[in-house]
Amino acid sequence: MTASITPERPSATEGQRSRPLIVTEDEALLDDLLRLCAAAGAEPEVAHGALTRRGSWEAAPLILVGDDSAARLTGRARRQGVLLIGRDLDDHGIWRRAVALGADNVAFLPDAETWLVDRIADVAEGVGRQALTVGVIGGRGGAGASTLACALAVTAARSGRRTMLIDADPLGGGLDVLLGGEGAQGLRWPAFAESRGRVAGSALEESLPELHALRVLSWDRGDSVVIPASAMRAVLAAARRRGGVVVVDLPRRVDDAAAEALSQIDLGLLVVPAELRAVAAAHRVASTVGMVLRDLRAVVRGPCGPELGDEEIAELLGLPLAGQLPPEPGLADAFEGGEPPGGSPRGPLGRFCAEFWARALADEGGVTA
């Protein structure tokens, strides 16, 4: 029996690409806000103290009001998405003006520039529901975690969902190889190693190799195996903002970058072969990963013997059971023939993944088994 898969993740109304509104007569502040909008990839509408276009207050997805214009706008219809922008941290009166305006928050420049760019960029990208993000990790070496991660991504893409596969294991050999696309054009991890702050989700998606109808961020064949936590944070956040599903192949050793990846995952799958030694190794992995990842489930890779069944293994690990993965004898031959893991929807791996996504994507959110 499989446990219900109910990952908790942020939800949002479907975003639309639209222009933020700036309201100020302060030329210096306007210059700063235009600069921040440009950094976020947004082209704003500007009202110099008065709203020149009818309905602009109601229609704008985000409104940046200079403190110089707050008094003039007090009394307008209250709505979400209004930010009051000031400069003087010692001006406590700005909070009263924010309440009178109905602003969601107050941002002080230059201190809040990074935060404000993120808010503007969300509008520019039309951020809606974030991707359901599933991490796969092996209970021991050779458990089959990378194979399952690829199969999950291939299955999700085959159903028509926007899918991104991220290889977070620098010592795993590269998921592009497993998908038969090591020569495919597109960026690999080293190109993102110096990423800081925000990475545009659309730019990330368009820059990656496309294999089997999904986008893949893998490793190149170079010697670099270190990705800073800041780069992992920026890239994974960008991938999630694109919506659909994101599958992450995780390393068993939790360094700073892996911990960052774990913090952004909705549901983790720990792949455990049905062997006593594998269970012992997986227990150590589960203990470490469980300190960061709240929702970790066991996937037992069969065949299971009468003495050690899938439910017993999950119980020994202290984890809910996500399912038993039956053996697929022809997997190696299929790979040699150019078929990726999960490429056959009728094979055991393809069926397992299809059933997993049917539960995990029920009602576009969390799920019932």
Side-chain angles (χ1 to χ4, degrees):
M1 179 181 295
T2 58
S4 296
I5 306 173
T6 53
E8 297 179 6
R9 59 196 184 103
S11 61
T13 56
E14 191 66 29
Q16 295 182 344
R17 194 176 184 89
S18 190
R19 300 172 66 190
L21 173 65
I22 298 175
V23 186
T24 183
E25 291 184 347
D26 183 331
E27 293 296 333
L29 179 60
L30 176 59
D31 287 345
D32 283 339
L33 293 177
L34 289 174
R35 173 175 54 82
L36 298 179
C37 285
E43 183 180 348
E45 176 184 351
V46 177
H48 296 278
L51 301 179
T52 56
R53 185 173 66 84
R54 184 175 182 180
S56 57
W57 179 268
E58 293 77 15
L62 181 68
I63 302 176
L64 310 177
V65 178
D67 191 32
D68 64 288
S69 299
R72 287 191 297 278
L73 294 173
T74 298
R76 296 195 67 89
R78 289 179 178 261
R79 48 151 294 169
Q80 292 184 328
V82 177
L83 303 178
L84 184 58
I85 314 299
R87 293 188 186 277
D88 186 359
L89 289 168
D90 296 323
D91 179 9
H92 302 296
I94 194 172
W95 297 101
R96 291 193 298 272
R97 295 190 289 279
V99 171
L101 180 64
D104 294 343
N105 213 327
V106 175
F108 292 98
L109 299 185
D111 300 62
E113 284 193 356
T114 300
W115 178 84
L116 193 52
V117 167
D118 281 348
R119 292 293 302 271
I120 299 168
D122 281 343
V123 171
E125 287 193 50
V127 174
R129 180 184 292 274
Q130 288 197 334
L132 174 62
T133 305
V134 176
V136 186
I137 185 169
R140 65 156 169 80
S146 295
T147 299
L148 178 57
C150 287
L152 286 169
V154 167
T155 303
R158 185 166 53 233
S159 70
R161 295 189 178 273
R162 169 179 274 139
T163 305
M164 192 174 294
L165 176 62
I166 295 180
D167 189 352
D169 185 358
L171 301 179
L175 294 185
D176 55 350
V177 176
L178 197 53
L179 291 171
E182 59 269 29
Q185 294 296 312
L187 299 183
R188 267 66 172 181
W189 261 120
F192 299 95
E194 301 303 320
S195 296
R196 298 290 186 274
R198 186 183 181 101
V199 174
S202 57
L204 171 68
E205 184 177 44
E206 292 166 6
S207 71
L208 299 179
E210 183 174 4
L211 302 169
H212 309 287
L214 61 98
R215 297 287 180 166
V216 184
L217 176 55
S218 188
W219 299 85
D220 65 3
R221 313 284 82 86
D223 296 331
S224 175
V225 294
V226 177
I227 289 295
S230 57
M232 181 65 73
R233 180 186 311 118
V235 167
L236 195 48
R240 299 186 74 204
R241 287 196 302 271
R242 294 300 286 164
V245 298
V246 174
V247 180
V248 185
D249 186 26
L250 295 161
R252 285 179 294 127
R253 179 178 176 273
V254 180
D255 57 11
D256 290 344
E260 180 58 46
L262 286 167
S263 72
Q264 296 200 47
I265 284 171
D266 301 306
L267 171 65
L269 299 177
L270 180 65
V271 184
V272 188
E275 306 162 3
L276 193 56
R277 287 184 64 191
V279 174
H283 193 280
R284 291 190 289 271
V285 175
S287 298
T288 303
V289 171
M291 291 189 292
V292 184
L293 179 58
R294 178 180 56 193
D295 191 353
L296 182 64
R297 310 289 175 108
V299 173
V300 177
R301 202 189 80 195
C304 293
E307 299 84 9
L308 196 62
D310 54 5
E311 294 185 356
E312 288 79 9
I313 290 174
E315 185 175 352
L316 287 170
L317 293 171
L319 299 176
L321 178 64
Q324 182 184 149
L325 186 59
E328 188 161 347
L331 195 60
D333 291 337
F335 174 73
E336 291 297 327
E339 183 176 289
S344 171
R346 296 184 180 86
L349 188 55
R351 291 199 306 271
F352 175 91
C353 293
E355 292 169 3
F356 170 84
W357 288 124
R359 297 193 306 273
L361 293 167
D363 298 324
E364 294 293 324
V367 229
T368 57

